[in-house]
Amino acid sequence: MKKKVGIYICQCGPNIADNVDIDKIIESVSAFNDADDLEIVAKPYGLLCSGEGKDYLKQEIEENGLTHLVIGACSPRDHNNTFIGVCKETSLNPYLYKLINIREHCAWIIHDKDKATEKAIQYIRGGLRRVLYQSELFENKLDTNPDVLVIGGGIAGIEAALSLADADRQVFLIEKTDRLGGKAATFKTVLPKQQDAVEAIQLKIQTVQDHPHIQVMLNTRLDRIIGFLGNFEAEVRSIDDAEKMTELKIGAMVVASGFSLYDASTHPDFIFSGDDEVYTALQIEQMIAEKNQVTTRSGKAPKSVAMIHCVGREEVGYCSQICCNAMIKLAARFKTQSPDTTVKVFFRDLCLPHQDDQAFYNEIKAQGVEFVRVNRIATEGSQIKFTTMDENEGSELFDMVVLAPAMIPADGTPDLATKLGISLHETGFFQEAHQAINPVATATDGIFIVGTAHGPRGIQATLLQAQAAASKIRVQLIPGEQIVPEVRVSETLEAFCMGCKTCLEVCHYGAIVFDEDKGISVVKEAVCRGCGNCVGSCPSGAIQLKHFTNPQLYQEMIEAVQ
Amino acid sequence: MSFSNQVLVIGAGIAGMEASLMLAKSGKKVFLVEKLSLIGGNVIKNEESFPNLECSTCMVAPIQQAVLQDPNIETMTLSTVEKIDGDVGHFEVSVLKKARYASMTDCIGCGMCYEPCPVSLSNEWEENLGEKKAIYVPTAGSLPNVPAIEAEHCLQLSGKKECNACVEACMFGAIDLSETDEQMQLEVGAILLATGSDLFDVSQLTQFGYGKYPSVYTSIEFERLFASNGPTLGEIKIRNSDRQPKAVAMIHCVGREEQGYCSGVCCMVSLKHAHFLKHKLGDVKLFNLYTDFCVPDKTHQKFQKNIIEETQSIFHTSMKDIKVTEADSVLNVAYIDAKGKEASLNVDMVILAPAIIPGKDTEVLSRIAGIETTEIGFLGLKSGGLSTVETAREGVFLAGCAEGPKDVQSSVTQAESAVGGMLARLSSLTS
Ligand SMILES: Cc1cc2nc3c(=O)[nH]c(=O)nc-3n(C[C@H](O)[C@H](O)[C@H](O)COP(=O)(O)OP(=O)(O)OC[C@H]3O[C@@H](n4cnc5c(N)ncnc54)[C@H](O)[C@@H]3O)c2cc1C
Ligand SMILES: Cc1cc2nc3c(=O)[nH]c(=O)nc-3n(C[C@H](O)[C@H](O)[C@H](O)COP(=O)(O)OP(=O)(O)OC[C@H]3O[C@@H](n4cnc5c(N)ncnc54)[C@H](O)[C@@H]3O)c2cc1C
Ligand code: SF4
Ligand code: SF4
Ligand code: SF4
Ligand code: SF4
Ligand code: SF4
């Protein structure tokens, strides 16, 4: 078929026209006209991005029966979408169009008009050659399943489930233990601004259990998943009865597997056994929850309590964000239980990063809780040895010692990551898609991470993340609406693939599977994000990225680097 | 009557932009009201953002572009909300849209109109470290890349003198001096306040010498001094001089005691600044003076460690009674060290990390929106019930630093959460 390429050069007022000789460009690109099967239509225009400019382009495409389109204008950042929009309103497939930036790359940066023109010609010829090698691509719409699987029944998972479930969206909530609520559900003490947290959490648990659109599955774990955003299939299995497997069809997943605590007894500076009066903060919380008071193993109220912050912080390599607050809260609790209890808090840095934290700290300090800044600290049973900032050494015996061990990822996190095909951060928590601007998503579309599975944090921050993930799902998976997956994705050329599996290693999105029968790698188009990693890695050149194929890039390059 | 298919977002910082994009994607018509002539908020003032030290523009420009190009988002710059009547599902909002005098559709952002303008003004967006003309974009790379005219300073518009220089310079006929301010009425179902925060006025604390000594900077001033699109094009030169600093002290927690809370991000900002200085100047002595290090995220402690290692900064603790004095262009920073002894440093630049405080417009906004402020003065959430984004006025939500100091990650998370809150509230009205 005869190809008819339209090349339109925007003057951008004087911006391009003054510094680049547009007539010369037109003359040069028209020289391609001689080939039998190629006809060039090359024209200048005032402002292509204006309303009239867009109408003009549409008219030109239709009237000339253009098969390809090259535009020489400004940065794709400004107007690529504008011209894609123009194509979409015509019979021209937008993947047969190419925008060449002759403003920022030529007119605005090269002062010598001849040189700027020369470069613009090279670029446009490159674009022309490239566009001839481009292929039509068609967006194809996929039906989606709006239902969601939530993994972990702590407050993170509960909040995600509650934010999502409604008549149009079923939520499956799996929890590996036999009860909902995670750690926070047992707390009887909370921070001042969380006064009604205890009831609020109990209410949320009750609501989840009674919710017509939430199916809670206790003692259940994930076995495997396959699929992609909008169309996942998950197998979940009962922990008590290995025979009991349920298959779930869902469109997205929220991972809310929570945290564990650093095992302080493995730390060389903290020497204690189960008989010693040494407890973790969580054990104190549990003690309060069970009997509404804190006592030593002999059943007596402690007269002196040492509270040690940051246990294992150096070892895990991060600050756990909430333990300073949690310890201050427990210090307050000791004072309420008996105002003349001696409470000494040993810390290195206080981390109180929320609006109300410092006021609470000041209040507790005023109640007589003593804060001692230490450089080093060690325990032997409830005998504490420490060095203060001014290098003074101290040693004191307490009735009770409370440790704030670092929050670490929940047991089984690496295994869960493997099953889900998502990455872990170097701290062992799950890795987000982008730390600043896409914090609750993962590299895999449709899988979200929230709460302390994401990193150490308190209840409010946990709820926020759960709600954020729910919002993202709401926006991405609207019940009854289809999704349009990326079309510029990779494909393996069967004949060239040697089955070396190199590409499987480099794909961060788990988009490549190995077909054992054929002995080749296959790209799952719906999962592929078109990053191109695999293309570069394949030793036999068997993978190509649609719209960025080697011939396309080569054609553009040979002109551009002449 | 219900207008629940339209929503209002006030403030086009990272929180407002993220929320607008999601709301638009879910099919809502979004009115995004921003009082400045550009969108992006505070993040675009920072060349690089912690914790990844990545280029902020690269991170945010695609978001700004997406907002401006989204057919479901009507971005209203130079605009403020004056009144909010009605209830959830049918708020009636009055917006004052100030004239820009340059056309958003005809201007192509060539910048030819600034040069000829005879009026030079101090550039507030650049923390007054640079100048702008009466017709200006705040900084290179502003989005939308369309200038605005400050009517009160423009010779023609203020009636001081006849002038038509910018109009003549524009080849696109994009400037129209007869444009007028517009009063607009919007009907929306839900509202998000994402108006950000400000910084503590450090000149109140005279012991730090801010305003008195030219080489004392605030953290945000230093961000602009470092930025390659800033007033010095990224050259770190001390105010009113050509001197590059050889020793710099970064003082944390300025205003923390006065404000009564820790801002949670300034330690990271000060560390980032130590890195900037080392990176750009190489041979520079750095001192971070702090009381507590607040680095509360899985990534932050490593960031802290790397930067301490890279910069060889010297860190003192328990600093009290800091006093900055100057003699012969050398700043002396006196303080009480960790051991309670008097100590001091000689440096040629000081960067103060001021507390993050409620934005200037908070009181007005709280009145207009009919919501409370917290004891500290930030816009307040509904009390109790573990609320995260909803205010006491139904249908009005908060996100980002307007609700309290936070970093980009937490601002974005809260914005995303607020979107869910808004959508859920609106769909409960229709079902
Ligand atoms: C001592 C202490 C005191 C604290 N006090 C406060 C406070 O006062 N205020 C505050 O805001 N925060 C406080 N916190 C923090 C608070 O506990 C957490 O923010 C909150 O519990 C996090 O909830 P989560 O759902 O992320 O995790 P979790 O509570 O750990 O819940 C995770 C759930 O997932 C389940 N699970 C794990 N793996 C799997 C799997 N593979 N499959 C299925 N299910 C799985 C677990 O069994 C658990 O039920 C405190 C923390 C501690 C340690
Ligand atoms: C010096 C400094 C450095 C920082 N560096 C980092 C960093 O490296 N990494 C990081 O994660 N965080 C950093 N932060 C924090 C980060 O800037 C904030 O978290 C983020 O900007 C908050 O976004 P926001 O959208 O809530 O507010 P903002 O970015 O402040 O945006 C608010 C927007 O609302 C507009 N507005 C205000 N009032 C009104 C009104 N009445 N009507 C209409 N519009 C209004 C403003 O003009 C602005 O555009 C830094 C902060 C400072 C001060
Ligand atoms: S919040 Fe950070 S500083 Fe405080 S005890 Fe936990 S790890 Fe230590
Ligand atoms: S381009 Fe290749 S590496 Fe990238 S997502 Fe697709 S299959 Fe994976
Ligand atoms: S008309 Fe106003 S803005 Fe334009 S050049 Fe003159 S003074 Fe400047
Ligand atoms: S107003 Fe005119 S001269 Fe000024 S930047 Fe826009 S197009 Fe250029
Ligand atoms: S974040 Fe650091 S500098 Fe900022 S107030 Fe808190 S402790 Fe001080």
Side-chain angles (χ1 to χ4, degrees):
Chain A
M1 198 189 96
K2 189 165 171 119
K3 289 174 178 159
K4 195 165 179 184
V5 187
I7 302 179
Y8 295 87
I9 313 294
C10 183
Q11 294 170 341
C12 196
N15 275 282
I16 295 175
D18 276 5
N19 296 320
V20 169
D21 186 340
I22 293 179
D23 293 338
K24 220 167 158 187
I25 299 180
I26 302 230
E27 187 189 304
S28 162
V29 293
S30 301
F32 276 82
N33 231 339
D34 45 15
D36 286 344
D37 58 348
L38 182 62
E39 190 184 333
I40 306 277
V41 179
K43 294 181 183 172
Y45 190 83
L47 263 186
L48 283 173
C49 61
S50 64
E52 298 94 83
K54 289 189 274 187
D55 290 340
Y56 167 77
L57 273 178
K58 276 181 226 163
Q59 202 179 329
E60 285 285 307
I61 293 170
E62 300 297 8
E63 283 181 2
N64 291 311
L66 298 181
T67 60
H68 299 79
L69 175 67
V70 177
I71 292 177
C74 53
S75 164
R77 221 176 84 168
D78 284 354
H79 283 300
N80 200 31
N81 286 342
T82 310
F83 299 126
I84 288 178
V86 167
C87 294
K88 282 186 172 166
E89 289 178 36
T90 70
S91 50
L92 185 71
N93 186 290
Y95 295 92
L96 298 177
Y97 134 83
K98 173 84 187 147
L99 176 60
I100 303 293
N101 183 358
I102 59 168
R103 191 178 72 182
E104 282 86 340
H105 286 183
C106 305
W108 277 0
I109 56 161
I110 303 174
H111 299 299
D112 180 330
K113 188 167 178 177
D114 290 339
K115 287 203 173 129
T117 307
E118 207 177 304
K119 185 175 175 191
I121 289 173
Q122 273 181 302
Y123 272 31
I124 292 183
R125 287 166 67 116
L128 168 62
R129 278 179 175 261
R130 185 193 205 278
V131 84
L132 290 170
Y133 278 77
Q134 287 176 196
S135 315
E136 288 183 302
L137 295 176
F138 297 96
E139 289 171 351
N140 100 41
K141 292 191 170 161
L142 288 179
D143 285 336
T144 57
N145 182 330
D147 298 348
V148 178
L149 170 64
V150 177
I151 302 169
I155 49 157
I158 287 174
E159 186 67 10
L162 288 175
S163 312
L164 281 161
D166 66 25
D168 297 325
R169 196 187 311 271
Q170 176 77 19
V171 175
F172 305 96
L173 175 59
I174 63 168
E175 162 57 49
K176 73 173 177 189
T177 68
D178 59 3
R179 61 165 194 92
L180 289 179
K183 316 227 184 6
T186 58
F187 297 169
K188 286 281 179 302
T189 62
V190 282
L191 298 168
K193 280 283 153 77
Q194 301 176 332
Q195 279 323 338
D196 46 8
V198 178
E199 299 93 84
I201 291 171
Q202 293 311 321
L203 184 67
K204 282 178 196 284
I205 296 175
Q206 198 54 49
T207 317
V208 164
Q209 278 161 345
D210 299 343
H211 203 294
H213 304 292
I214 300 177
Q215 185 180 339
V216 177
M217 304 162 93
L218 297 176
N219 301 309
T220 303
R221 62 181 163 79
L222 180 75
D223 244 14
R224 65 184 213 112
I225 62 150
I226 50 165
F228 47 88
L229 171 69
N231 291 284
F232 286 106
E233 278 172 37
E235 284 172 14
V236 299
R237 199 174 290 276
S238 160
I239 290 171
D240 306 329
D241 177 3
E243 296 295 296
K244 218 177 121 205
M245 193 274 284
T246 316
E247 206 183 280
L248 304 170
K249 286 197 187 334
I250 64 240
M253 270 170 277
V254 179
V255 183
S257 50
F259 70 101
S260 310
L261 291 180
Y262 171 81
D263 181 359
S265 68
T266 62
H267 195 296
D269 294 346
F270 298 95
I271 300 162
F272 61 94
S273 71
D275 302 330
D276 288 315
E277 293 298 334
V278 179
Y279 304 81
T280 66
L282 194 59
Q283 285 168 333
I284 301 292
E285 294 279 4
Q286 281 156 354
M287 205 189 292
I288 297 167
E290 275 159 31
K291 47 187 196 190
N292 206 19
Q293 60 171 338
V294 187
T295 59
T296 60
R297 298 192 200 280
S298 56
K300 283 192 291 219
K303 290 243 170 316
S304 62
V305 183
M307 310 200 67
I308 303 179
H309 285 216
C310 294
V311 175
R313 172 172 171 173
E314 278 308 309
E315 286 65 27
V316 299
Y318 52 85
C319 153
S320 297
Q321 190 174 129
I322 188 70
C323 22
C324 275
N325 267 312
M327 292 293 263
I328 293 173
K329 174 185 84 173
L330 291 178
R333 170 68 208 215
F334 281 113
K335 282 289 189 189
T336 342
Q337 176 162 314
S338 163
D340 42 57
T341 316
T342 304
V343 182
K344 278 195 187 175
V345 177
F346 296 92
F347 72 103
R348 171 71 175 80
D349 284 299
L350 274 183
C351 177
L352 304 168
H354 313 100
Q355 274 189 69
D356 311 309
D357 296 351
Q358 188 165 319
F360 184 44
Y361 160 74
N362 287 338
E363 187 189 319
I364 298 315
K365 220 167 137 179
Q367 285 177 17
V369 173
E370 206 182 318
F371 286 81
V372 188
R373 197 184 288 270
V374 291
N375 237 336
R376 278 184 303 280
I377 189 154
T379 60
E380 225 183 291
S382 37
Q383 180 79 36
I384 310 269
K385 289 203 177 75
F386 57 88
T387 315
T388 57
M389 297 306 281
D390 48 10
E391 299 297 329
N392 283 328
E393 302 205 345
S395 178
E396 258 179 80
L397 183 68
F398 290 88
D399 287 353
M400 180 178 267
V401 175
V402 182
L403 308 177
M407 289 165 92
I408 59 169
D411 304 339
T413 300
D415 175 54
L416 191 53
T418 309
K419 282 178 181 157
L420 293 163
I422 60 176
S423 314
L424 294 177
H425 182 254
E426 59 189 13
T427 52
F429 292 100
F430 289 103
Q431 172 76 53
E432 56 275 53
H434 190 288
Q435 266 154 2
I437 56 172
N438 202 1
V440 294
T442 64
T444 305
D445 263 345
I447 304 184
F448 297 86
I449 48 174
V450 301
T452 48
H454 180 291
R457 50 179 48 76
I459 293 170
Q460 237 87 5
T462 293
L463 293 175
L464 273 164
Q465 285 196 326
Q467 294 159 356
S471 303
K472 293 217 113 184
I473 294 172
R474 249 173 195 278
V475 168
Q476 288 173 10
L477 285 179
I478 301 171
E481 284 192 14
Q482 295 177 307
I483 52 169
V484 184
E486 176 60 63
V487 291
R488 291 166 298 183
V489 294
S490 282
E491 57 186 348
T492 31
L493 308 170
E494 234 177 81
F496 293 96
C497 177
M498 303 184 301
C500 68
K501 299 189 182 174
T502 309
C503 53
L504 275 90
E505 304 280 316
V506 302
C507 180
H508 297 305
Y509 304 104
I512 309 185
V513 288
F514 197 72
D515 181 336
E516 296 289 349
D517 294 340
K518 291 188 179 163
I520 57 162
S521 291
V522 179
V523 177
K524 294 189 281 181
E525 292 206 349
V527 184
C528 172
R529 300 276 196 91
C531 71
N533 261 357
C534 54
V535 179
S537 79
C538 178
S540 41
I543 309 188
Q544 68 172 15
L545 180 56
K546 294 178 191 172
H547 209 59
F548 297 94
T549 63
N550 280 344
Q552 287 165 0
L553 300 177
Y554 178 73
Q555 292 296 329
E556 186 169 2
M557 277 306 191
I558 49 173
E559 285 292 343
V561 302
Q562 243 177 25
Chain B
M1 196 177 28
S2 161
F3 313 128
S4 49
N5 214 34
Q6 308 200 130
V7 292
L8 170 68
V9 176
I10 312 178
I14 192 72
M17 293 193 297
E18 172 72 2
S20 299
L21 284 173
M22 285 176 72
L23 288 161
K25 192 154 188 256
S26 76
K28 301 289 169 206
K29 162 89 195 179
V30 183
F31 297 100
L32 174 57
V33 171
E34 166 59 52
K35 78 169 171 184
L36 299 183
S37 68
L38 83 176
I39 64 170
N42 199 61
V43 188
I44 56 170
K45 290 194 179 185
N46 310 336
E47 177 125 316
E48 288 173 12
S49 290
F50 70 74
N52 291 333
L53 291 173
E54 73 192 288
C55 156
S56 304
T57 305
C58 313
M59 185 170 95
V60 179
I63 298 176
Q64 292 169 283
Q65 289 285 6
V67 165
L68 294 172
Q69 291 175 3
D70 195 308
N72 279 342
I73 302 176
E74 186 171 330
T75 305
M76 304 159 82
T77 47
L78 294 166
S79 301
T80 44
V81 167
E82 303 206 299
K83 205 164 150 218
I84 300 176
D85 285 331
D87 292 311
V88 60
H90 41 85
F91 289 112
E92 294 187 41
V93 182
S94 315
V95 175
L96 175 67
K97 191 166 191 281
K98 288 185 56 185
R100 183 184 270 272
Y101 303 102
S103 157
M104 295 287 261
T105 45
D106 297 342
C107 168
I108 65 138
C110 66
M112 305 286 272
C113 49
Y114 323 141
E115 246 274 305
C117 175
V119 182
S120 288
L121 302 167
S122 180
N123 189 343
E124 256 176 66
W125 195 90
E126 293 289 14
E127 305 300 325
N128 299 314
L129 298 174
E131 294 196 332
K132 66 174 184 190
K133 293 297 184 68
I135 181 162
Y136 69 98
V137 289
T139 182
S142 298
L143 288 171
N145 185 17
V146 174
I149 297 180
E150 281 204 356
E152 58 273 39
H153 296 111
C154 162
L155 300 178
Q156 176 73 27
L157 291 168
S158 64
K160 286 186 196 121
K161 213 170 144 191
E162 261 178 41
C163 178
N164 203 27
C166 55
V167 179
E168 275 163 23
C170 179
M171 314 287 284
F172 298 90
I175 301 174
D176 175 5
L177 296 179
S178 68
E179 208 182 298
T180 51
D181 295 353
E182 247 180 291
Q183 195 73 47
M184 302 180 64
Q185 284 297 120
L186 307 175
E187 300 173 334
V188 297
I191 298 170
L192 177 64
L193 296 166
T195 45
S197 50
D198 275 313
L199 291 180
F200 181 80
D201 173 10
V202 292
S203 61
Q204 294 174 37
L205 304 177
T206 49
Q207 66 269 35
F208 293 105
Y210 179 82
K212 190 166 166 203
Y213 309 128
S215 37
V216 179
Y217 287 80
T218 64
S219 56
I220 193 69
E221 285 175 342
F222 183 71
E223 291 282 356
R224 293 317 295 155
L225 192 63
F226 179 77
S228 50
N229 67 349
T232 59
L233 300 177
E235 248 188 280
I236 303 178
K237 283 188 296 196
I238 291 166
R239 222 185 305 250
N240 314 330
S241 83
D242 264 336
R243 282 189 303 135
Q244 274 193 354
K246 293 246 174 312
V248 182
M250 276 144 286
I251 303 178
H252 293 219
C253 293
V254 178
R256 173 173 171 169
E257 271 320 299
E258 290 68 21
Q259 288 293 117
Y261 56 88
C262 155
S263 300
V265 295
C266 15
C267 276
M268 286 292 277
V269 171
S270 295
L271 285 167
K272 182 176 79 168
H273 291 169
H275 163 82
F276 283 176
L277 283 158
K278 190 72 193 174
H279 190 72
K280 203 162 251 184
L281 302 180
D283 188 24
V284 57
K285 279 212 196 81
L286 300 166
F287 307 93
N288 276 61
L289 299 179
Y290 73 99
T291 35
D292 286 283
F293 242 109
C294 179
V295 284
D297 185 276
K298 67 183 174 192
T299 57
H300 291 6
Q301 181 168 315
K302 187 172 175 207
F303 181 93
Q304 175 197 11
K305 285 226 149 97
N306 287 348
I307 286 177
I308 294 174
E309 215 163 90
E310 173 198 38
T311 59
Q312 305 285 310
S313 305
I314 303 172
F315 295 80
H316 301 269
T317 187
S318 284
M319 48 117 191
K320 273 196 218 111
D321 303 325
I322 293 190
K323 183 146 183 63
V324 180
T325 50
E326 191 192 63
D328 300 329
S329 302
V330 175
L331 292 170
N332 181 273
V333 184
Y335 63 100
I336 308 289
D337 76 6
K339 296 177 182 154
K341 295 201 190 78
E342 284 179 16
S344 79
L345 296 165
N346 283 337
V347 295
D348 35 29
M349 184 186 231
V350 165
I351 305 173
L352 307 174
I356 293 178
I357 62 162
K360 294 187 240 340
D361 300 346
T362 307
E363 260 189 57
V364 176
L365 281 163
S366 75
R367 198 162 10 85
I368 292 172
I371 58 175
E372 302 276 300
T373 53
T374 65
E375 281 147 41
I376 290 164
F378 287 94
L379 292 174
L381 297 169
K382 188 166 85 183
S383 58
L386 292 174
S387 54
T388 49
V389 292
E390 54 282 280
T391 67
R393 184 163 181 192
E394 278 222 64
V396 178
F397 296 79
L398 303 180
C401 287
E403 188 269 322
K406 44 179 81 65
D407 63 4
V408 173
Q409 180 187 110
S410 305
S411 300
V412 167
T413 305
Q414 198 172 27
E416 292 172 350
S417 163
V419 167
M422 293 167 85
L423 293 176
R425 194 65 192 85
L426 291 176
S427 72
S428 74
L429 295 175
T430 46
S431 61

